[in-house]
Amino acid sequence: MAQKPSIPKGTRDFGQLEMARRNYIFDTIKSVFSLYGFQQIETPAMENLSTLMGKYGEEGDKLLFRIQNSGEKAALAPEKGLRYDLTVPFARYVVQHREEISFPFKRFQIQPVWRADRPQKGRYREFYQCDVDVIGSDSLIGELELIQIVEEVYRRLGINVCLHINNRKILAGIAEVIGAPDKIIDITVAIDKLDKIGIDAVNTELKERGLLEDQVSKLQPILNLSGTTLEKLTALKTILANSEIGLKGVEEMEIVFDELSIVNCQLSIELDLCLARGLNYYTGAIFEVKALDAQIGSITGGGRYDNLTGIFGLPNVSGVGISFGADRIYDVLTELNLFPKTLQSTTQILFAAFGDAELTYALKWAKELRQAGKAVEVYPEPAKMKKQMSYADAKQIPFVAIVGGDEMAQNKVMLKNMTTGEQKLVTLEELCTIL
């Protein structure tokens, strides 16, 4: 007996309904990106491994899928890997095509990425990211526009969210004031897991990463800082009084919140000092978005990076970007039953014919309707009418045009409304109007 076919763990097939729903997400996100002047690019699924390694921290490097070279010159070819995200390939693209683009460069990219992670709910080995970045400007207007994009995307999708924001400069300042400036990476990697493993486990990991007991103790009141955004920023000015970089981070946050007030942003936003995001390339503002009505973790994330292109030979080019996790957004929309009911079928009408002559008649009508911009299917054979009607039901096609000898004699079709069951004879002109 042949072995039942399967696919790798952490990957999925997408049927017709799933694709209709995914395209609804992609189209919604694309339309908002375009409102802010972002244009689409694509990069290869694979990159040279040297492009990817060392950009995501020690945790990220472990999750890279490596591609085995093959062919006669395999030993001489550069090692390759599947892209882990879209940001590092974007930085490589900017440097490689710097003579062809204008700065600030505003791009969006919707493509799959791969991570050798342990599959679980909401976490896949192959998944799509919807990235939007502006590079070549250090203006905090970039952060403002990204937050506005988040607000509009989730307003259109009908998902209630909260955007968590922090600044890596603030985290660097915290590392300074607790006496561990050389441990900033260790601190950010550990506290980024706070909502997953809890404060006790984070403290244990901090000690394992070399922080002293008193340094961990000094960190606690900062991580537990509460109050309004204004109260938190005011407290941070005192806490970080001796840290120039920390105060710079506070200043940047104040500017962003002032800008948000000016444009009357209605998005729920929380200054979250435990937010760290484990990727090493972030240098300024960092974001994460969580759905308020579903337990699924972050569904959008990103931040400011000041020198990501520097590793590819173009230093001192600042950028900021954010990535929408299409697969997690899909899961949230499914759980909350928020997908529009009309997505499953794009076909407006099905022609059902009793015989071969009727089928030929239907094909002519279908061509006329398609030229008028209507989505039409013709059942490909004169099968039993019950079978043809079942097909229309299964695909949720709202109308069926029944063609028999009597209908052909009158140059009409019998139009059936599949929702109400109503039937009536109509001409081609009348059918165009109804559709």
Side-chain angles (χ1 to χ4, degrees):
M1 181 182 291
Q3 184 177 358
K4 185 178 180 181
S6 62
I7 58 175
K9 289 184 177 180
T11 65
R12 292 152 297 157
D13 289 322
F14 299 111
Q16 295 161 307
L17 176 59
E18 288 90 352
M19 284 308 305
R21 289 176 169 180
R22 287 168 67 80
N23 285 329
Y24 166 70
I25 295 170
F26 295 146
D27 292 345
T28 300
I29 292 173
K30 280 183 184 179
S31 65
V32 178
F33 287 170
S34 297
L35 287 177
Y36 288 81
F38 292 88
Q39 295 177 303
Q40 189 169 15
I41 68 165
E42 288 193 352
T43 59
M46 71 180 80
E47 296 274 350
N48 290 328
L49 197 57
S50 59
T51 297
L52 303 174
M53 289 293 291
K55 314 305 187 302
Y56 306 107
E58 60 180 89
E59 300 285 335
D61 283 351
K62 295 175 184 177
L63 301 180
L64 287 171
F65 273 109
R66 290 163 169 77
I67 298 174
Q68 183 177 347
N69 286 329
S70 61
E72 293 180 3
K73 299 182 180 179
L76 302 176
E79 289 187 278
K80 301 173 187 67
L82 294 177
R83 58 173 174 244
Y84 177 94
D85 73 351
L86 299 178
T87 305
V88 169
F90 170 55
R92 188 268 309 154
Y93 176 95
V94 169
V95 176
Q96 191 170 338
H97 298 272
R98 61 183 133 181
E99 303 301 329
E100 307 160 25
I101 60 180
S102 300
F103 293 101
F105 181 45
K106 303 177 79 170
R107 84 82 170 90
F108 74 85
Q109 198 169 343
I110 298 177
Q111 288 186 272
V113 300
W114 294 266
R115 297 182 186 177
D117 212 344
R118 184 172 64 86
Q120 53 188 289
K121 182 182 179 183
R123 187 181 294 274
Y124 308 100
R125 286 176 171 166
E126 178 187 59
F127 56 96
Y128 269 73
Q129 289 185 334
C130 308
D131 276 25
V132 58
D133 289 74
V134 55
I135 195 165
S137 171
D138 57 8
S139 168
L140 296 177
I141 295 297
E143 279 81 344
L144 171 66
E145 288 194 343
L146 293 181
I147 294 171
Q148 289 179 292
I149 285 172
V150 168
E151 178 182 26
E152 181 62 17
V153 165
Y154 288 114
R155 184 192 69 79
R156 293 187 182 193
L157 293 176
I159 301 175
N160 296 318
V161 299
C162 178
L163 183 143
H164 295 249
I165 187 170
N166 198 6
N167 194 298
R168 289 293 281 259
K169 293 184 179 71
I170 291 176
L171 293 170
I174 291 171
E176 280 188 354
V177 299
I178 69 170
D182 59 328
K183 294 290 185 181
I184 176 61
I185 299 300
D186 296 291
I187 293 171
T188 55
V189 169
I191 70 172
D192 195 50
K193 303 173 184 175
L194 185 61
D195 63 339
K196 302 181 185 73
I197 64 176
I199 189 66
D200 292 337
V202 166
N203 290 337
T204 298
E205 182 169 335
L206 287 168
K207 293 171 188 175
E208 291 172 351
R209 289 177 173 273
L211 270 77
L212 302 176
E213 187 75 43
D214 70 312
Q215 293 171 337
V216 174
S217 296
K218 290 177 182 177
L219 189 59
Q220 304 310 299
I222 302 172
L223 296 181
N224 292 318
L225 199 62
S226 61
T228 65
T229 298
L230 179 59
E231 289 169 343
K232 289 178 182 177
L233 290 173
T234 301
L236 283 172
K237 287 181 182 178
T238 301
I239 294 169
L240 303 176
N242 296 321
S243 172
E244 182 179 350
I245 189 171
L247 291 176
K248 178 64 176 173
V250 173
E251 179 188 1
E252 289 180 2
M253 285 293 91
E254 288 179 325
I255 292 172
V256 169
F257 278 101
D258 285 345
E259 290 172 342
L260 290 167
S261 177
I262 291 169
V263 299
N264 193 30
C265 178
Q266 298 299 304
L267 185 66
S268 174
I269 302 175
E270 178 184 340
L271 177 60
D272 184 355
L273 298 179
C274 295
L275 177 62
R277 294 194 63 77
L279 301 181
N280 287 349
Y281 52 68
Y282 290 125
T283 56
I286 44 179
F287 316 95
E288 277 195 359
V289 177
K290 296 182 179 180
L292 295 176
D293 303 319
Q295 299 298 318
I296 201 167
S298 172
I299 56 177
T300 298
R304 165 76 59 175
Y305 43 90
D306 281 337
N307 195 31
L308 187 56
T309 57
I311 53 180
F312 300 119
L314 185 62
N316 304 317
V317 178
S318 185
V320 63
I322 200 163
S323 177
F324 291 81
D327 297 274
R328 288 192 174 187
I329 292 172
Y330 184 104
D331 290 345
V332 171
L333 289 171
T334 301
E335 180 181 337
L336 302 180
N337 196 28
L338 292 175
F339 280 111
K341 306 301 182 187
T342 56
L343 287 179
Q344 184 161 358
S345 176
T346 57
T347 303
Q348 295 172 271
I349 186 168
L350 171 74
F351 279 87
F354 280 103
D356 290 333
E358 290 87 346
L359 183 58
T360 300
Y361 178 91
L363 288 171
K364 295 176 181 178
W365 276 53
K367 181 179 178 180
E368 294 286 339
L369 290 172
R370 287 169 181 149
Q371 288 178 337
K374 312 304 178 187
V376 180
E377 283 191 55
V378 178
Y379 199 83
E381 56 191 5
K384 290 182 178 180
M385 195 54 56
K386 181 179 180 182
K387 183 177 181 180
Q388 297 185 64
M389 289 295 177
S390 296
Y391 177 83
D393 273 333
K395 293 195 69 175
Q396 297 185 11
I397 299 173
F399 292 99
V400 173
I402 303 168
V403 183
D406 292 343
E407 287 79 17
M408 289 174 60
Q410 300 177 65
N411 198 27
K412 294 181 178 181
V413 296
M414 181 65 71
L415 182 66
K416 181 173 182 177
N417 184 317
M418 296 298 286
T419 302
T420 65
E422 178 188 1
Q423 294 188 178
K424 63 179 178 179
L425 281 170
V426 296
T427 65
L428 179 60
E429 184 179 357
E430 290 169 337
L431 182 54
C432 277
T433 302
I434 291 169
L435 293 181

